[in-house]
Every structure is written in C-alpha cells, then in structure tokens.
Amino acid sequence: QVQLVESGGGLVQPGGSLRLSCAASGSGVSFYVMGWYRQAPGKQRELVASITRNDRINAADSVKGRFTISRDSAKNTIYLQMSSLKSEDTAVYYCYADLGLIGPRSWGQGTQVTVSS
C-alpha cells in the first residue's frame, strides 16, 4: 500500500474546467491500474476513469468526451482533466491505485469538486 495525495479540486461554474492530480508517494512505484472514483452526498461511489500500466483507458459514459485521464509514470502521478463541468459532477473525487492484479488497493483522501453558479 502506498500513500496517494490528490490536489486540484475547488469551486467552478458550470461549463468550466478543473485538473485533478494524484501523486503516489515513494520512488519506483509500479501499479497495474490507477484511476478516479467520485461520490456525491447520498449517492454510491462510482468509477469515473482508470488507466492501466499498459495505457488502457476506461471512462464512465457520463464523462466521456469531457474528462481525460493521463499519467506521468516518472512522477508516479495521474491526472484528470475535466471540462464542460456540470452540476451533477459535484462530488468528492478519490484517487486509487491497484498495485497488483488482485491488490492491494490504495486510496487517496479525496478532493472536493463543486460545480455551481
């Protein structure tokens, strides 16, 4: 298990953009999958997007065409570029990393994204 630190959340108007970052602690971190979940108050946590060590990308239908996930393996960091934000994107966004095919899984502490006029 490694430490994950998210940053980049905040308040943005509908139609605006934000870029989230998630940095893994230590050096030489090797992961199979990293990605982002989000959870709005009173709702289930849902997968937003993920990227594998072989650069396979998966994204939820609700964010396709608006959100882009990427990684910088040298910096042990992944990013989530969010554009055309909607009020329904408001949630706490959590970074995760799977260090093996089965596990373990590490979680970040979460960063708040609020989309409101």
Side-chain angles (χ1 to χ4, degrees), residues 42-106:
K43 294 188 176 182
Q44 294 180 324
R45 184 174 296 190
E46 64 174 346
L47 179 66
V48 178
S50 64
I51 185 168
T52 73
R53 64 189 304 176
N54 296 317
D55 293 320
R56 288 181 175 268
I57 294 174
N58 176 258
D61 289 341
S62 60
V63 306
K64 287 181 178 177
R66 300 188 298 118
F67 292 9
T68 301
I69 189 170
S70 61
R71 70 182 179 96
D72 184 340
S73 59
K75 296 182 178 180
N76 299 322
T77 301
I78 64 167
Y79 307 92
L80 186 68
Q81 179 66 50
M82 305 183 293
S83 61
S84 301
L85 283 161
K86 306 173 181 179
S87 60
E88 51 262 45
D89 296 318
T90 296
V92 177
Y93 285 70
Y94 297 91
C95 177
Y96 79 93
D98 290 335
L99 304 183
L101 184 61
I102 299 175
R105 173 169 288 185
S106 295

Side-chain angles (χ1 to χ4, degrees), residues 5 13-14 18 20-21 30 32-33 39 57 61 65 79 86-87 94 116:
V5 180
Q13 294 185 353
L18 284 174
L20 306 183
S21 299
S30 179
Y32 285 81
V33 182
Q39 187 167 27
I57 294 174
D61 289 341
Y79 307 92
K86 306 173 181 179
S87 60
Y94 297 91
S116 177

